[in-house]
Amino acid sequence: MAKYPRVREQNIAVFGEAGSGKTVLVSSFYGPTQEGSYVNDLWDLVARQTGQGHRLYQNFLGMRDNATVPIQTRFDNTTYEFSVKLKAGDEPEGKKRPFDELRLAWHDYPGEWFTDDPSSLEERDRRTDTFISLLRSDVALLLVDGQKLLDYAGEEERYLKSLLGNFRQNLLRLKDDLLAENGPLVEFPRIWILALSKADLIPDWDVSTFRDLVILKASEDLERLRSAIAELIETPEALSIGEDFILLSSAKFELKPGGQDPVEIDVRQRVGLDLILPIASLLPLERRVLWEQRMAIPRKVVDSLADGADVIAAALTGAKFVNVEKLLNKFIKADKRAEFVAKALPMLAAAVAMAGPKLREINEEARAHNDYLRAMLTQFKLDLDQGVSDKVIRTQK
């Protein structure tokens, strides 16, 4: 068995009603990385299923070359699997990097299941099984459709209450099945980001405008959703809902001059999609540190919360790989949580604290030495910081 873990997989679950743009988002996430003109000096994005990759790239080319939007999928639960393959090369002085490949599983939950009742017991079971498959994710995106906000301008609460209420009801319908075997769930998405899809339709909004609208118009509905999720999980204190927001746009959609149809689609003008990999990779690590600093989290919850955080932290800081999970098990078994907080948690906190000129300096140094893993992760962190500065993303601190 290899001494170091070689592959690190992150999972992200995407929820949105039918027509909210989920297929367009994933196509625009993947498509630009396949163009002949695309250049990335650190890594390549590869679809792990060839046919799936071809379909996504075909969707993207249809938007780019023919101004056609992908056909809306109905009742399809799909997991898109990607590999972020690092360029060849190792750290100087023969040090072995903690892992060589980052994988992303993008779970797409069918939008129709928000609003339509199951037509049979078989379909109900399929919905439950699909939802269970999402539970590996630390991060979930709940899409708020920008077009719907425009349609309900001045009375946005009608749409937001319906969206959040339908999702809450969907969870309540699944509750008994989800809790039937072992009671409150240990593994469950703990970070729920509200994402404004089709953000290009409201170009004068930044992420604070979006957040303020949601809180003004639907704060009680958001709290009811949070309470419904809290009833499903163990240690509900380790849960973020209504604290993280992002703007997402797959492209800029415009009507051609002098007509209503077809639509001109500028795929070069994307918003937020370059933050998906940084969010999936680093946000769970940051949130785990925050929660462990604030509360005593039970061991079995910690084991499922941002698992692999030690590997990410080691790669990000360039420190010698230390198995934080082993330290955690050792200290908790010996009833020495305080010792864990003193000795192991700082390893994770140091990675989270990297910022500013020092972070940029580390990134440049990693690039210069062909330390592709550290360069990629520090670039992810720089991208997140830039997203905050550009008011595209707002996260809990």
Side-chain angles (χ1 to χ4, degrees), residues 206-257:
D206 62 26
V207 72
S208 293
T209 311
F210 172 51
R211 180 203 62 161
D212 292 351
L213 177 80
V214 171
I215 291 175
L216 176 66
K217 301 282 188 173
S219 60
E220 293 181 359
D221 302 274
L222 203 55
E223 182 54 35
R224 280 194 283 269
L225 174 59
R226 188 189 192 287
S227 296
I229 292 177
E231 291 176 5
L232 296 175
I233 62 176
E234 186 163 329
T235 316
E237 300 87 353
L239 177 66
S240 291
I241 298 179
E243 297 165 342
D244 305 285
F245 297 82
I246 189 172
L247 304 184
L248 294 176
S249 175
S250 305
K252 186 171 180 57
F253 291 73
E254 292 182 344
L255 297 178
K256 286 190 174 180

Side-chain angles (χ1 to χ4, degrees), residues 56 77 159 163 171 234 266 289 296 329 387:
L56 292 176
N77 54 288
Y159 164 60
L163 172 70
L171 287 176
E234 186 163 329
D266 185 351
V289 169
N329 292 339

Side-chain angles (χ1 to χ4, degrees), residues 91 98-99 310-319 371 373-375 377-378:
E91 296 184 19
F99 61 95
D310 49 356
V311 183
I312 296 286
L316 189 60
T317 61
D371 184 351
L373 177 58
R374 194 180 190 198
L377 292 174
T378 51

Side-chain angles (χ1 to χ4, degrees), residues 109 113-115 117-118 127 161-175 221 224-225 228:
Y109 191 76
W113 289 358
F114 275 88
T115 53
D117 292 329
R127 293 189 185 192
K161 287 177 180 293
S162 172
L163 172 70
L164 298 173
N166 284 339
F167 188 53
R168 175 174 169 270
Q169 288 299 318
N170 200 35
L171 287 176
L172 293 176
R173 282 192 290 269
L174 294 170
K175 180 179 177 180
D221 302 274
R224 280 194 283 269
L225 174 59

